[in-house]
Every structure is written in C-alpha cells, then in structure tokens.
C-alpha cells in the first residue's frame, strides 16, 4: 500500500492530508487559533469552585473560563495510564525551537502522591480555593457553547514516548505484542528516567534503538524542566507552553515505515519539516519532497473534491445503496438504505450485501470526518442471526484501521449498532460548516401554506387591537406568491375584520418572518 502525507500551507491555514493508495483517509486542519489549543499548557487562576458538580472554572486568559473536573486535578492511579496509545489530537507535542534544554537544570520538588479515599474523590473545595494559581493543560478544545476542558495531569509526547511528570507508572502500547520487546523497552526506560516520573511507551518505539529511547527521555525531561521553570516566574493567567504546528504534529504521530512520501507546497514549511526530521527521525529526510507545480497541491491530488464530498449528508455506495449521516446535539445517527440496488438473488442477500458495504463505508467516513462521541447506526433490518453477525464482524474489522479508540455493541433486534468513538478535536463538519441562519439548525423551514395560515390568524388578532381601517402585511416573495392563491380567503378575512388588507414584498426578509402594520 502506498501512503503519502500531503501538506498544504498558506496565509490562512495549514492542511495535512493522509492518502492511502491515492484515497483521502484523514485530514487535519489548523487555522489561526481563536480558542485555547489542545495540548497547550497554561498557568490558570481559579475563578469558581462548585462542589455541587465537583468542578471548578479556571481563567486561562481566554474569553470563556476552562472547566476542571475534580478527577482531572486529583492524583490518578498509576493503573489508569497502562496500555494507553495516544492519538494525534489527544496529547500535547514537544517544543522544537528551543536549543537550550541541556543547559537547564531545574531542581523539581518531590512529587508526593495522594491516596484516593475508598469512597470516590474528595470534594473539589478541599482541593482548590478561589484565586489559587495552578498549572493546567488543555485536554479538550471548546465545542460550541462549552469552554475548554483542562487537566492538571501534564503529558508531553515525543517520537517514541509520552512523558508524565505527575505519575510514576510505565505504560506500554497494546499494539506491541511481543512480551520480550515490552520487557526490553521497559528496562530501557527504567534505566534512563528520573525516579518518580512516568512514561508511556508508544507503538513507534517497537524495535527502536536504545539510544533513540534515551534521546527521547532526555529531551522530554529537559522540556518539562523548562515548563516548570517558566511557570514559577509567571503570573496567572498565562500561556506557558505553545503547541507545535499541525504538520509537525502529524509527522511525529503518523510517521512510520508505511509512509512513502511527504510532499509540501510551502518552502518555509518544507525547511521546518526537514529540520524537525533531522533531529527526530533523520532516516525519513529523504522522503520529503517540495511541490513546485503551478496547480494547487490539493487540486493535483484531487483532495479538494474529496473534502467537499465528505461534507455531504448522503454518501452513495458502489452497489447503488446509500448511507445518510445526521449530526444531533449529543450523538451522530447513520442510516443505511438500499437505494437503487435491487440485488440479483433474493431480498435477504440484497440487504446483507448493502449492509456489508455500508459497514466498511461507515468506518471510513468516521475516520475521514473525525466523528466522535456516541454514534448510532441503523442498518437495514436482517432476519437471519448469521447475517447480523457478518455485518457486525465487517464493521469491527473495518474499524481496525482507525487509530482512534472505538467501542461497538452487538446489533440489536431493531438492527441498530450503538458505538462510541473517542473525540479527538473538532469534526470536519464543525470546522467547515456552521448552523444555517435561516432554519437555525433544523434543516427545514415552514411551508408557504403554513406561514399563510399563521398570517391570517395574526391579522385577525391584530385587527382587534387597532382602529385603523387599513392593514399592511409585508412578506418574503416566496410567501407573497402563495398568499395570492388564497384570494378568496383574503377577501373573506377583510369582510370579517372590516378592514382593507394590502400585501407588500420584502426579499431581505427571512421566509418565515412577516410584519403586520
């Protein structure tokens, strides 16, 4: 399989596309930040402590206060970190433009671990006080009306490891299967880490040389020393650690032997990437290419068209069936339909083939669109248990290509699959789309007939409150045409209220809006 990273950078945004055999499978977009960025570290100030919901609001210097849950501040048990594989958007990256790490030697305070009470966490007001200053990291970026979610458990990922200065555990990715390799990696980390600090061994560390692991440990330890030193001198609220660019983050987290090419269309970004790889992974510098063609890079690789298609609600399947993706407030609903497909043998086989094809497409769309949270899939009803099992297994197999953690439940009697996919930043729809100002997110507006009847009732009510013999109704042209179809009804209304009715048109009106004067 040919895998390529296509990087497009201009004055407005940076976009990173992952292509597998020429097909767009993941897209990462970074625009000039107008909100707290995932992975950034701030020195924050406690504004409110709310024991009723076991949380507090922290001022980190942005318009909306960040949300800190008691469990994200209180010491997490070491076992909670084991077997965790960080994804692209789940952890903060390392800083690359500071060359003085080895020269800094900050003596850090010994980390004293608190013990959890047997019956849950202590009250938030026992942990935090108003105006207290604390060091926090963005765990989840703001979504719609919700502010950023933060944690005081700092984690700093490198090429092979994730450093956890507030933990002493060593976690190992489940994707590393060999017990011998796990033991080797753990011994290397134990050999070079500072006592009382924790690490997660990432999948990329498998078969890595000891010197590379050692370099990662020294780099991340020095980085944390820098962060800790800076926050001692800072006054809250203040940004302490700035996240690196999306292109460097993608390289750090995606780059492996399966990547054949890295193609960049911006000279400055190209040079930064080469410099980054020279430090982190020099063996990959030879696969970086500068794109100098006059045709935009995303047009050349047909990515713009694929992004547009990924914003559609309806996705056609090769067989002629289709799926529809609807986003609600708390979940995403996906409906499967046979569409134009009529099959060749019998009804059951037609349904099975459509569902099997849909299962693969759904897994692909979830990854491409970065859809997270609760997902409900409505497959076409199947009567045979063996068919349900085949569809479930097909979905399970297709989701193995997804780096983001997913959990799926068996198909119910109603043909529904309930699943979750970990939220890792904004979905494609959240980045590119906004709520329609006309329908206010409904996706539909009232019919002209409905609005006409509302106008008749409103005029009847208004006529009782005015002494004027003339009433003027101003409406959108869309509604005016329909009103003239109700000429008899208007004449009868004029007789009933004993007033003359005049209709005026205003195209700037929202179709559902009207004025009576």
């Amino acid at each position: 399989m040919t895998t390529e990273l296509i990087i497009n950078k201009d004055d407005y945004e940076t976009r990173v596309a992952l292509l597998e055999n020429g097909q767009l499978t993941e897209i990462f977009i970074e625009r000039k930040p107008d909100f707290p960025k995932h992975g950034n570290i701030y020195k924050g100030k406690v504004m409110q402590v709310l024991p009723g919901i076991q949380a507090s609001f922290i001022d980190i210097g942005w318009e909306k206060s960040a949300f800190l849950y008691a469990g994200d501040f209180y010491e997490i048990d070491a076992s909670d970190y084991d077997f965790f594989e960080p994804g692209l958007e789940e952890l903060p990256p390392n800083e690359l433009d500071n060359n003085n790490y080895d020269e800094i030697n900050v003596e850090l305070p010994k980390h004293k671990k608190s013990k959890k009470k047997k019956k849950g966490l202590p009250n938030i007001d026992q942990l935090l006080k108003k105006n207290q200053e604390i060091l926090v990291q963005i765990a989840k970026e703001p979504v719609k009306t919700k502010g950023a979610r933060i944690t005081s458990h700092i984690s700093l990922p490198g090429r092979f490891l994730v450093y956890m200065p507030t933990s002493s555990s060593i976690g190992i990715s489940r994707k590393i299967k060999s017990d011998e390799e796990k033991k080797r990696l753990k011994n290397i980390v134990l050999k070079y880490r500072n006592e009382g600090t924790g690490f997660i061994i990432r999948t990329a560390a498998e078969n890595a040389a000891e010197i590379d692991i050692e370099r990662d440990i020294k780099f991340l330890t020095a980085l944390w020393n820098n962060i800790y030193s800076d926050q001692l001198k800072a006054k809250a609220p203040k940004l302490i650690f700035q996240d690196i660019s999306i292109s460097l983050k993608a390289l750090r987290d995606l780059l492996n032997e399966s990547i054949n090419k890295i193609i960049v269309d911006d000279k400055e970004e190209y040079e930064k990437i080469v410099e980054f790889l020279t430090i982190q992974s020099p063996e990959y510098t030879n696969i970086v290419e500068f794109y100098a063609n006059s045709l935009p890079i995303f047009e050349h690789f047909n990515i713009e068209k694929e992004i547009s298609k990924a914003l559609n609600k309806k996705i056609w399947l090769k067989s002629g069936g289709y799926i529809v993706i609807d986003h609600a407030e708390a979940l995403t609903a996906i409906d499967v339909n046979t569409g134009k497909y009529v099959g060749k043998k019998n009804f059951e086989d037609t349904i099975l083939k459509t569902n099997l094809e849909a299962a693969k497409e759904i897994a692909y769309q979830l990854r491409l669109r970065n859809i997270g949270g609760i997902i409900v899939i409505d497959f076409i009803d199947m009567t045979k248990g063996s068919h349900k099992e085949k569809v479930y297994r097909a979905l399970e197999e297709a989701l193995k290509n997804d780096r983001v953690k997913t959990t799926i439940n068996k198909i119910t009697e109603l043909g529904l699959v309930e699943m979750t996919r970990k939220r890792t930043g904004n979905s494609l729809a959240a980045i590119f789309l906004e709520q329609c100002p006309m329908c206010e997110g409904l996706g539909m507006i009232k019919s002209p007939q409905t609005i006409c009847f509302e106008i008749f009732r409103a005029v009847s009510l208004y006529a009782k409150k005015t002494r004027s013999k003339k009433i003027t109704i101003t409406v959108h042209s869309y509604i005016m045409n329909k009103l003239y179809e109700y000429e008899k009804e208007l004449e009868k209304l004029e007789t009933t209220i004993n007033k003359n009715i005049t209709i005026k048109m205003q195209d700037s009106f929202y179709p559902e809006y009207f004025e009576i004067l």
Side-chain angles (χ1 to χ4, degrees), residues 15 24 27 29 298 302-312 428 432:
R15 302 182 294 176
L24 178 66
I27 178 81
I29 299 166
F298 270 34
N302 202 35
I303 297 170
E304 296 287 11
K305 187 177 179 181
E306 290 301 312
I307 292 174
S308 295
K309 285 168 62 178
L311 299 175
N312 293 335
L428 211 59
F432 282 99

Side-chain angles (χ1 to χ4, degrees), residues 326-342:
D326 276 305
H327 299 282
E329 185 71 24
L331 57 82
T332 299
I334 303 176
D335 186 37
V336 182
N337 298 276
T338 52
K340 305 171 193 173
Y341 181 58
V342 294

Side-chain angles (χ1 to χ4, degrees), residues 12-23:
Y12 328 110
E13 61 186 2
T14 302
R15 302 182 294 176
V16 182
L18 178 66
L19 303 184
E20 294 178 353
N21 288 333
Q23 183 181 32

Side-chain angles (χ1 to χ4, degrees), residues 397-426:
E397 184 65 28
L399 287 169
K400 287 182 179 179
N401 295 324
D402 198 339
R403 294 178 300 104
V404 178
K405 183 181 178 182
T406 57
T407 57
I408 57 174
N409 296 324
K410 292 282 187 178
I411 299 177
T412 68
E413 290 296 320
L414 296 175
L416 301 176
V417 169
E418 299 165 354
M419 64 172 289
T420 61
R421 185 176 185 270
K422 188 175 179 65
R423 291 189 189 276
T424 56
N426 288 319

Side-chain angles (χ1 to χ4, degrees), residues 83 85 172-185 201-207 400:
F83 306 112
E85 173 61 13
I172 303 176
S173 167
R174 279 182 177 164
K175 293 183 181 179
I176 300 176
K177 302 298 182 183
S178 168
D179 290 335
E180 187 177 338
E181 179 63 5
K182 287 180 180 179
K183 185 177 179 180
R184 181 187 77 89
L185 292 170
I201 300 170
R202 305 183 71 177
T203 306
E206 189 170 16
N207 301 319
K400 287 182 179 179

Side-chain angles (χ1 to χ4, degrees), residues 33-96:
D34 53 4
F35 51 77
K37 195 175 179 182
H38 186 282
N40 283 2
I41 297 175
Y42 295 82
K43 189 167 188 180
K45 187 176 183 179
V46 180
M47 303 305 293
Q48 284 182 292
V49 179
L50 306 171
I53 59 172
Q54 277 288 67
S56 63
F57 287 98
I58 313 295
D59 179 13
I60 58 173
W62 290 81
E63 183 180 351
K64 288 183 181 178
S65 294
F67 180 84
L68 178 67
Y69 175 61
D72 292 325
F73 178 79
Y74 195 60
E75 184 58 42
I76 297 175
D77 190 88
S79 62
D80 292 338
Y81 285 108
D82 288 340
F83 306 112
F84 175 77
E85 173 61 13
L88 182 64
E89 296 290 339
E90 293 173 355
L91 293 167
N94 43 347
E95 187 69 85
L96 299 174

